[in-house]
Amino acid sequence: RWRDPYAGGTYSDPSEIDIDHVVPLANAWRSGASSWDQRLRERYANDPDVPLSAEAGENRSKGDKGPEAWKPPLRSAWCDYSTRWIAIKAEYELSVNPQEKSALQQMLGTCEGGRL
């Protein structure tokens, strides 16, 4: 059984699940991964803190969008999603654009106490 962290559903059929990179590979590429060597790209793609299982439809609707263009439909997931996004971008020294930063700040406002 898998729980989709974005919409909250629980699934038992693996065909209904995709592996999602919280910060999508294409987004990472645009944010600085294009200058990485092959070893670091592979490390990122397989880092256990980067991927998670998500309902296939939600993952596909997210695509390679950042938080300025896509947010988890389950508002209670916003805090975890934004903190993971920030941690991944910081760990890999990836850039954050102004629209992305604004969306992340909005989502951080859903964390207990309204911020980190």
Side-chain angles (χ1 to χ4, degrees):
R1 298 177 63 87
W2 294 271
R3 183 179 180 284
D4 170 33
Y6 297 144
T10 302
Y11 302 87
S12 57
D13 182 349
S15 69
E16 296 177 306
I17 299 298
D18 280 351
I19 298 302
D20 173 55
H21 288 83
V22 176
V23 176
L25 300 174
N27 186 288
W29 183 266
R30 292 188 301 267
S31 303
S34 61
S35 66
W36 296 349
D37 63 23
Q38 186 63 30
R39 187 170 159 258
L40 184 53
R41 288 183 194 135
E42 287 178 14
R43 182 179 142 223
Y44 177 82
N46 295 297
D47 181 332
D49 292 329
V50 175
L52 55 76
S53 57
E55 191 273 326
E58 280 307 321
N59 184 46
R60 292 171 191 158
S61 75
K62 177 185 174 203
D64 69 348
K65 299 175 186 112
E68 70 280 9
W70 184 90
K71 293 177 182 61
L74 191 62
R75 189 175 172 92
S76 61
W78 286 12
C79 180
D80 183 59
Y81 177 74
S82 60
T83 56
R84 284 188 72 170
W85 184 281
I86 292 165
I88 291 165
K89 286 253 177 154
E91 170 73 21
Y92 287 92
E93 299 179 356
L94 297 169
S95 65
V96 175
N97 68 49
Q99 297 83 9
E100 180 182 356
K101 181 178 179 180
S102 177
L104 289 165
Q105 288 171 327
Q106 177 192 21
M107 288 192 291
L108 287 173
T110 66
C111 296
E112 189 174 325
R115 59 188 164 139
L116 285 177

